Amino acid sequence: MAAFERILYEVEEGVAVITLNRPEKRNALDDRTIAELHEAFAVAGSDDDTRVVLLRGAGPAFCAGADLAQLERIAAGAGPLENLDDAAALGDLLVRMRRLSKPIIAAVHGQAFAGGAGLATACDLVVASDDAEFGYPEVHLGFVPAMVMALLRRVCGEKVAFELVARGDRIGAEEARRIGLVNRIFAAPTFHDDARAYARELASRSPSALRLIKRLFYGIDGASFEEAIARGAEVNVLARTTEDTREGVRRFLARRSRA
């Protein structure tokens, strides 16, 4: 496994826990952090012992967004192609997260702003502390949350997504859940334990079913109704041939025969 400087990586009970570990910078995303996240997701994807990934932040915040000091240096001292490479690194990370065969859960406490909110949005599931705050405030800097729009408009719809990025307001955990950004809210004092328990519970589900669910769920994005049904039929056939399904059916029939 690669040696990490900006993140922590551990696996417990089928869950790969990736922790952003720049608490003094509120876990701001610099090029090194993004590169290490690429590596960590690659490790999780290839590890048979990992069924679910939990992404969290060390210290008082999940992630405050891009490292603005680095962004200023690159914007001022590099040309268009260098700036494009820098932006593409984050874009490629969001794509990698979508393509990872295993579910990714964001555990958001404190602040998740700008690129940090985008990172959470890119996860398949989001659990939040009841004191968490989300926001896409780039507009206040004359900047644009450009890549996350591809995700945000799918998650909460056009009108809500446009307002979030055009106004740049902060919203709390309850509002984030209301508009579809958050799945579950846990109390702050026990948040990290509850988030890990949530991830472990998901990891107890059939690994082959979880992989097929994620593959189909995003694979039908943009497909017509007929295409989505056809792809669903194909995955249905694949699922029938897995040992997890065969064993699950056997267990169910055995329980029913004993009832």
Side-chain angles (χ1 to χ4, degrees):
M1 187 183 302
F4 297 120
E5 298 175 359
R6 296 282 200 267
I7 67 172
L8 303 175
Y9 187 98
E10 60 179 320
V11 179
E12 56 175 33
E13 298 182 55
V15 179
V17 181
I18 300 174
T19 304
L20 301 170
N21 194 34
R22 300 182 76 200
E24 73 285 356
K25 298 286 188 179
R26 293 187 300 159
N27 299 318
L29 299 172
D30 63 355
D31 54 1
R32 181 65 184 173
T33 303
I34 292 171
E36 290 189 3
L37 285 171
H38 272 284
E39 294 180 57
F41 283 121
V43 170
S46 62
D47 180 13
D48 291 338
D49 292 331
T50 293
R51 298 181 179 185
V52 171
V53 178
L54 181 67
L55 179 64
R56 60 187 296 274
F62 173 73
C63 178
D67 188 319
L68 293 182
Q70 176 183 282
L71 181 64
E72 182 182 33
R73 288 195 303 271
I74 294 174
L81 293 180
E82 290 84 357
N83 274 279
L84 180 59
D85 287 342
D86 183 68
L90 177 58
D92 290 345
L93 177 62
L94 302 182
V95 172
R96 179 186 285 276
M97 293 169 67
R98 177 59 57 92
R99 290 180 177 172
L100 191 73
S101 62
K102 301 164 186 182
I104 306 171
I105 304 168
V108 178
H109 72 292
Q111 298 173 339
F113 293 157
L119 198 60
T121 306
C123 294
D124 305 299
L125 297 164
V126 179
V127 298
S129 169
D130 57 11
D131 63 356
E133 288 186 297
F134 296 78
Y136 308 86
E138 286 91 336
V139 68
H140 298 298
L141 300 178
F143 198 45
V144 179
M147 288 172 288
V148 74
M149 288 188 200
L151 299 163
L152 196 58
R153 69 199 306 270
R154 287 168 165 80
V155 170
C156 53
E158 288 187 354
K159 297 295 188 293
V160 172
F162 192 94
E163 184 177 46
L164 285 171
V165 298
R167 289 180 55 90
D169 294 337
R170 299 182 181 189
I171 60 173
E174 286 291 349
E175 176 67 5
R177 180 167 61 176
R178 187 187 70 79
I179 64 176
L181 282 175
V182 167
N183 297 94
R184 302 286 181 92
I185 296 176
F186 300 127
T190 59
F191 173 67
H192 291 296
D193 289 338
D194 290 338
R196 285 176 182 256
Y198 181 86
R200 288 195 300 270
E201 184 179 10
L202 185 62
S204 71
R205 304 298 193 265
S206 158
S208 61
L210 289 177
R211 289 186 178 210
L212 289 173
I213 286 169
K214 183 165 179 177
R215 178 179 177 180
L216 179 61
F217 189 85
Y218 297 121
I220 59 176
D221 190 19
S224 69
F225 177 75
E226 290 81 5
E227 290 171 334
I229 292 295
R231 293 186 189 181
E234 293 170 1
V235 170
N236 182 293
V237 171
L238 286 174
R240 294 182 192 193
T241 65
T242 65
E243 183 57 35
D244 283 357
T245 294
R246 292 169 179 162
E247 178 60 27
V249 170
R250 285 195 294 265
R251 286 198 307 269
F252 177 82
L253 293 176
R255 286 196 302 269
R256 189 171 66 175
S257 67
R258 292 194 298 269

